[in-house]
Amino acid sequence: MASGKFLNILHTMPSSERKAFHSFLQSPYPNSTPILVQLYELILSRPDNVPLDRESLWNELYQDEGRPYRDDHMRKHLSDLAKQAEQFFLFETVRKKPEDFRPQLMAELRERNLEKYFTQHFNRYEKSFAAHYPQMDGWEAWKSFELEWENYLFNMNKNRIEFNRDRIQQLLTHSYLIFQLRFLMEGMIQQQMRSEEGQLENTPILQELLRQPSVREHPVVKGHLLVYELMQVERNGPEWRTKTEEVTRGLYALEAQIGVEPFAYPLGVLLNLTLPWVLAQTKDRKFFENQALGLYDFMIRRRQFHRNGYLIEWHFKNYVTLLLVSGRHDEAKEFIENFKGQLNPAVRENVVAFNLGHYFYSRANYSEALKQLQRVTYDDPFYSLDARSLTMKVYLETKSLRALDSFLDTFKRFLDRSKAFPKARMQLHLNRLKYVRKLFRIIDQPSVSQRRLLALRKKVEEEPVLFDRAYLLKRIDVHLEDADI
């Protein structure tokens, strides 16, 4: 029977919205696949209370061509419909509330150096700000700050900045803005993680904000500043280990202050942002794993990682992953079973299937791992990427070479077509796939060459842009034990 993300979305749409979505699908600009219009019309022709059968939909869709049923293709059609529905929701949101998106429009105008139109939009905002500020709620105040921020960026680029201390101070009187300040600092931290740029000294607006005692001493801001300090230390240099421990302990100490306020979420974001990188750079993994697990447990049990009453699926997955890499397999299984009911029903089945697949993989129960991973739908690009990565490892470790050969082609097409990830991140995964393919060609021979494996190992060690390097080296070493000289 057909189920999944699109049908869950469809059930939330009233009749008027379904008609509007039909018109949206018929436009060739957002939808370049006409077959989706036909599929949507077929789905609409069925009563809501009657379960849909994917195969019968397929047969009607391709009755003139007589194509044999392909379940993976049908699932892809439904996944594409879900993506179109999400685009439709975005379009409708912008159409109904254009003012909420003025900062994004101004940022685009700034990037294109369209000064006249940028100024028009900012002047329009300026006229209404003074009259409306006293009645603004937190969200409106933050949007105002974003507009102000875009204006300062624009003027900095034109070398004619005039910093208005009074205006910034007025904006900061709203407590919501302290909470939202994290976005500015996270952007800088992320920039430093990607490169050596992003210095606080080069950002006068942020410097000015941090001179305000009420801002700088806030525990959320202090947490971001701790991570920023870590970024100033030479990675793996003589001060690295000491500073990393100091910063991590500082973040953990802030838990007591932040956990009792509505500001716990930013620290969780900060943890997600830095932890994988920190773990990859230090040999003392146990210390950081224990600190991270303690913080996750604190946040989840106090419902600080919940949104709209549901546990956020990415925090669910991150906590399970941390438990598994720490060797706490039974705790991971127990957590999945005990907390799956707190997930949003729309994503629950998918999230549980993936995390159970990861659990069974970590226990070397590969048949059960594959069974769970095959239940994961590919609507979400992040879950799709992770599920495919685990499936590839199962095939590699069970030496299912024929299945691996076919799967690598499918995985490569997914990476080539995906637009959900930055190019730099995609290159990490593409390079991993390249070396798995090279390893496959070496071991798919009657006689496995030690010389070729050693040459491959050297290339993997020297590749500057590579995901899962340690895993690949481990697999090469496994095959070196049985290789012919």
Side-chain angles (χ1 to χ4, degrees), residues 65-82:
E65 301 176 36
R67 288 194 195 182
Y69 177 60
R70 288 286 301 272
D71 189 63
D72 56 337
H73 286 196
M74 192 61 199
R75 288 177 181 271
K76 178 66 167 55
H77 286 338
L78 291 169
S79 173
D80 288 344
L81 268 179

Side-chain angles (χ1 to χ4, degrees), residues 128-140:
S128 62
F129 176 82
H132 289 94
Y133 184 76
Q135 291 81 40
M136 285 182 179
D137 62 18
W139 176 248
E140 291 172 323

